[in-house]
């Protein structure tokens, strides 16, 4: 049921080798992170707050540079095609919407920045809004939406560019449990449909077990990967898995790995 | 599984918050009615004090006489009002353009901001009346003198507020723009300028009042050196001639101008921010 080693067979999309990050103020956030992210994989980074989970996402997204080690993209194409293929989507913990723009305009942003006009981007944006169930709200402003709906808009914005890899930084941490479960299911459904790679940062053991094909457990700062747990449960997963003994067993093992990683 | 069917709980928040329409109307009536009642009481008190104490017109005129003077002396006061307003609005327009452009320039780089912002502060904290003799010497044209004074007073709140606003764009959004390869111009146009809008409009409201004050104060100082067509010169002139009703009339016109400018700028602000900013939305 559980496998100690990651699924080496899958082709990697990006890999981190000995990656470390020390910030200008001297904080050592990451040290010696080795992580191989398989193409089409749903990987969770699980760890205590402040362990550098978000930093890993920022490094993969290219928003920060590692101070040690290398990040390698295993592009299938070369040149401009590779750039296009490396299309990264990012979902923050906050919805991070522009309050002055409608739902449609918020989702349009990435395409607009790439030079697409409203009319040429419309079909793509509406498809993205439909896939999160917000097509009827295209003209609403963020302040008119609930927390869960704002998060859906944020996900639709990431979807609009058809990313090959989706980086999610505790996207549902601020939501109530009912909304979170619902968005978990929506996310899994979209992941199955679109064939993205997802790297999902969370500090919830149960969320990581429910969602992921693989969980990388991280240590306290400076963060590194302490355990790599394969969640050997087929997709699609349903409510039955959430409450199954198997889920409980994996959660127990994951939780133990987390406590060991935190040095308790 | 259809998502549309599972949105009910999310949707509750999307419908407008329901304060009853009646309560809202009462609130609106109070907001307009109460200040009017206070104003009427103040005018009545003013009139009563004049009548009871038999104060002569050349010291304190009765309120109705001030209003009558505005009508009777319109041939003199009207053009003066026009001049003062023209200078105020021109100064405000120039302050807006100058303040916003300077704010954009300052926020493009830390070095530029550190270098020039303190100089703008010096310009602001130095009382304009103290600079005026210098401007008087250096600037030939009378209109240009007054305009320059009003501009110096009015532009600072726009500069400082817009600078703050441009720097206040959400950091995650800035990261997002960077992730999607936004150019500097795109970031300014789609992110930083909209984020600065509420701050800018707040600055504009302050600057509207200050432009009027700047125009009046500059004219006071310039009027002493022999130039005079605005309301401030009428006030000085009326003071010399003990034409107190006209002095009050000119004063009232200045106040009214200030109020109108403030109201118009508030309406503009609400119109622009109405859809999204907390300051302009009603619950």
């Amino acid at each position: 049921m559980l496998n100690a080693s990651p699924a080496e067979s899958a082709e990697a999309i990006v890999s981190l080798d000995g990656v470390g990050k020390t910030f200008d103020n001297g904080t050592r956030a990451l040290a010696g992170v080795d992580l191989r992210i398989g193409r089409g994989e749903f990987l969770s980074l699980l760890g205590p707050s402040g362990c550098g989970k978000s930093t890993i996402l920022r490094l993969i997204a290219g928003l920060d540079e590692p101070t040690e080690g290398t990040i390698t993209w295993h592009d299938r194409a070369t040149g401009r095609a590779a750039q296009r293929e490396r299309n990264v989507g990012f979902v923050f913990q906050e919805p991070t919407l522009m309050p002055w723009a409608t739902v449609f305009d918020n989702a349009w942003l990435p395409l607009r920045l790439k030079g697409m006009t409203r009319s040429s981007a419309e079909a793509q944006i509406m498809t993205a809004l439909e896939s999160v169930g917000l097509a009827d709200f295209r003209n609403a402003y963020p302040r008119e939406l609930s927390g869960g709906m704002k998060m859906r808009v944020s996900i639709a914005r990431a979807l609009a560019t058809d990313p090959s890899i989706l980086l999610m930084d505790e996207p549902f941490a601020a939501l109530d449990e009912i909304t979170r479960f619902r968005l978990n299911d929506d996310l899994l459904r979209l992941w199955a449909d679109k064939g993205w790679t997802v790297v999902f940062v969370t500090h919830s053991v149960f969320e990581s077990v429910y969602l992921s094909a693989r969980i990388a457990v991280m240590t306290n700062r400076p963060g590194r990967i302490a355990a790599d747990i394969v969640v050997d449960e087929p997709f699609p997963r349903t409510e039955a898995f959430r409450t199954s003994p198997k889920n409980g067993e994996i959660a127990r093992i994951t939780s133990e790995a987390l406590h060991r990683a935190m040095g308790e | 599984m259809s998502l549309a069917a599972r949105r009910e709980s999310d949707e509750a928040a999307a419908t407008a918050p329901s304060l009853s329409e009646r309560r809202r109307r009462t609130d609106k009536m109070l907001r307009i009615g109460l200040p009017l009642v206070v104003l009427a009481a103040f005018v009545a008190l003013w009139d009563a004090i004049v009548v009871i104490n038999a104060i002569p017109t050349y010291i304190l005129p009765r309120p109705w006489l001030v209003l009558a003077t505005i009508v009777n002396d319109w041939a003199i006061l009207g053009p003066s009002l026009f001049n003062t307003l023209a200078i105020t609005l021109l100064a405000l327009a120039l302050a807006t353009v100058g303040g916003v452009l300077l704010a954009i320039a300052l926020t493009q780089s830390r070095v530029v901001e550190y270098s020039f912002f303190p100089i703008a502060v010096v310009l602001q904290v130095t009382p304009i009346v103290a600079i005026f003799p210098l401007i008087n010497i250096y600037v030939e044209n009378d209109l240009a003198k007054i305009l320059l004074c009003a501009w110096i007073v009015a532009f600072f709140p726009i500069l400082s507020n817009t600078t703050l606003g441009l720097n206040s764009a959400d950091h995650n959004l800035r990261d997002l723009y960077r992730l999607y390869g936004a150019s500097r111009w795109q970031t300014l146009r789609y992110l930083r300028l909209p984020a600065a809008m509420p701050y800018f409009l707040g600055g504009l409201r302050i600057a509207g009042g200050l432009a009027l004050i700047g125009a009046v104060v500059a004219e006071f100082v310039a009027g002493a050196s022999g130039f005079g067509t605005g309301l401030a010169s009428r006030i000085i002139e009326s003071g010399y001639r003990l034409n107190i009703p006209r002095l009050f009339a000119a004063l009232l016109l200045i106040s009214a101008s200030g109020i109108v400018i403030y109201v118009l700028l508030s309406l503009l602000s609400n119109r622009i921010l109405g859809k999204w900013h907390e300051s302009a939305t009603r619950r």
Side-chain angles (χ1 to χ4, degrees):
Chain A
M1 180 175 74
L2 286 174
N3 190 341
S5 69
E8 296 288 350
S9 54
E11 176 201 357
I13 183 167
V14 59
S15 50
L16 287 70
D17 297 297
V19 165
K21 175 72 185 175
T22 308
F23 288 106
D24 291 343
N25 62 13
T27 306
R28 199 164 155 73
L30 298 173
V33 172
D34 294 309
L35 187 63
R36 196 170 160 282
I37 300 163
R39 198 174 286 276
E41 184 175 41
F42 198 121
L43 170 73
S44 281
L45 294 176
L46 174 70
S49 35
C51 74
K53 307 184 291 284
S54 305
T55 308
I56 291 187
L57 288 197
R58 293 181 60 86
L59 293 176
I60 296 173
L63 291 170
D64 279 325
E65 293 292 320
T67 40
E68 300 149 32
T70 52
I71 295 175
T72 316
W73 286 85
H74 305 282
D75 299 316
R76 285 191 291 206
T78 51
R80 285 181 70 86
Q83 282 302 320
R84 218 170 319 135
E85 196 195 88
R86 219 182 273 178
N87 192 351
V88 175
F90 207 114
V91 178
F92 297 91
Q93 181 174 356
E94 304 292 324
T96 316
L97 302 177
M98 299 177 288
W100 55 83
T102 59
V103 165
F104 182 92
D105 285 353
N106 267 293
W108 176 28
L109 177 73
L111 296 174
R112 189 184 201 182
L113 294 176
K114 287 181 166 52
M116 283 179 79
T117 63
R118 180 188 291 268
S119 51
S120 66
E122 177 153 10
Q124 256 172 287
I125 295 164
M126 288 317 291
T127 308
L129 287 178
E130 265 156 32
S131 65
V132 296
L134 282 180
D136 297 343
F137 290 86
R138 56 178 292 174
N139 293 321
Y141 284 83
R143 58 170 295 277
E144 300 168 319
L145 306 178
S146 67
M149 290 165 89
K150 284 185 207 167
M151 212 62 225
R152 286 170 196 272
V153 178
S154 186
I155 292 170
R157 176 177 61 195
L159 294 186
T161 59
D162 203 10
S164 55
I165 179 164
L166 188 60
L167 308 174
M168 308 185 87
D169 189 1
E170 299 189 31
F172 310 138
L175 301 176
D176 62 271
E177 196 174 72
I178 298 167
T179 311
R180 190 164 71 233
F181 283 177
R182 199 183 282 176
L183 285 171
N184 281 167
D185 287 336
D186 291 346
L187 177 62
L188 281 183
R189 184 179 50 77
L190 287 167
W191 172 69
D193 284 355
K194 309 276 182 177
W196 314 308
T197 309
V198 177
V199 183
F200 189 95
V201 162
T202 179
H203 53 227
S204 159
V205 169
F206 290 99
E207 192 172 45
S208 66
V209 172
Y210 184 67
L211 290 174
S212 330
R214 200 178 124 211
I215 304 169
V217 180
M218 293 183 64
T219 62
N220 277 320
R221 181 186 293 161
R224 53 181 183 75
I225 310 296
D228 209 325
I229 298 168
V230 172
V231 183
D232 184 20
E233 165 76 17
F235 294 94
R237 294 178 183 168
T238 59
E239 205 53 39
F241 173 61
R242 210 187 273 286
T243 49
S244 71
K246 184 175 177 187
N247 180 305
E249 173 65 10
I250 302 172
R252 189 184 58 75
I253 292 167
T254 308
S255 189
E256 278 171 11
L258 180 62
H259 284 290
R260 266 199 310 279
M262 290 164 69
E264 285 171 19
Chain B
M1 198 174 331
S2 151
L3 267 165
R6 319 156 78 203
R7 281 202 314 254
E8 304 83 55
S9 79
D10 280 358
E11 235 158 85
T15 56
S18 57
L19 242 178
S20 74
E21 189 59 28
R22 212 156 120 207
R23 211 173 126 195
R24 192 172 290 182
R25 214 170 293 161
T26 317
D27 184 63
K28 197 171 180 183
M29 265 161 61
L30 283 179
R31 277 182 61 148
I32 298 171
L34 282 179
L36 285 180
V37 169
V38 172
L39 189 68
F42 173 76
V43 172
L45 183 69
W46 170 1
D47 197 42
I49 289 173
V50 175
V51 172
I52 292 167
N53 298 313
I55 299 172
T57 297
Y58 58 82
I59 291 177
L60 183 62
R62 293 180 68 173
W64 65 267
L65 183 59
V66 174
L67 292 179
T69 308
I70 292 181
V71 177
N72 294 335
D73 290 359
W74 187 251
I76 297 164
L77 292 174
S80 299
L81 173 66
F82 176 81
N83 284 339
T84 300
L85 280 181
I87 287 176
T88 302
L89 295 182
L90 198 54
L92 184 61
L94 291 176
T96 305
V97 174
V100 169
L101 288 182
L102 210 56
I104 291 173
L106 288 188
T107 50
Q108 287 310 302
S109 100
R110 213 161 274 267
V111 177
V112 180
E113 186 176 350
Y114 288 170
S115 313
F116 292 101
F117 199 78
I119 296 175
V121 175
V122 170
L123 214 55
Q124 158 72 7
V125 297
T126 311
I128 194 64
V129 182
I131 310 180
F132 198 80
L134 280 178
I135 295 178
N136 223 357
I137 293 168
Y138 297 147
V139 182
E140 195 75 41
N141 184 301
D142 280 331
L143 179 69
K145 277 180 209 171
I146 296 179
L147 204 53
L148 185 61
C149 284
W151 181 83
I152 293 176
V153 180
F155 106 107
F156 189 79
I158 295 185
L159 170 70
S160 76
N161 273 28
T162 310
T163 305
L164 181 67
L166 288 170
N167 284 332
S168 73
D170 183 89
H171 276 273
N172 283 339
L173 271 174
R174 287 192 219 182
D175 281 345
L176 200 71
Y177 272 69
R178 216 146 62 78
L179 183 74
Y180 289 121
S183 67
R184 191 175 270 251
W185 164 248
Q186 284 176 321
T187 308
L188 179 69
R189 168 87 178 71
Y190 301 137
L191 176 62
R192 302 184 82 181
L193 283 177
M197 196 48 111
Y199 297 82
F200 160 73
L201 288 169
L204 187 65
R205 253 191 273 185
I206 302 170
L210 284 181
L212 182 64
I213 292 173
V216 169
V217 168
E219 207 191 312
F220 266 126
V221 188
S225 66
F227 169 84
T229 45
L231 283 174
S233 341
R234 294 295 163 221
I235 288 179
I236 295 177
E237 185 190 85
S238 307
Y240 286 148
R241 295 182 185 171
L242 281 184
N243 188 347
I244 305 304
R246 190 187 285 172
L247 193 155
F248 267 91
L251 201 54
L252 191 63
L253 286 176
I254 292 177
S255 295
S257 308
I259 293 168
V260 169
I261 290 171
Y262 184 84
V263 168
L264 287 181
L265 291 177
S266 299
L267 287 177
L268 177 76
S269 174
N270 274 344
R271 206 183 158 77
I272 294 176
L273 301 181
K275 282 281 172 34
W276 66 275
H277 199 254
E278 296 301 328
S279 69
T281 53
R282 289 182 155 272
R283 295 178 81 81

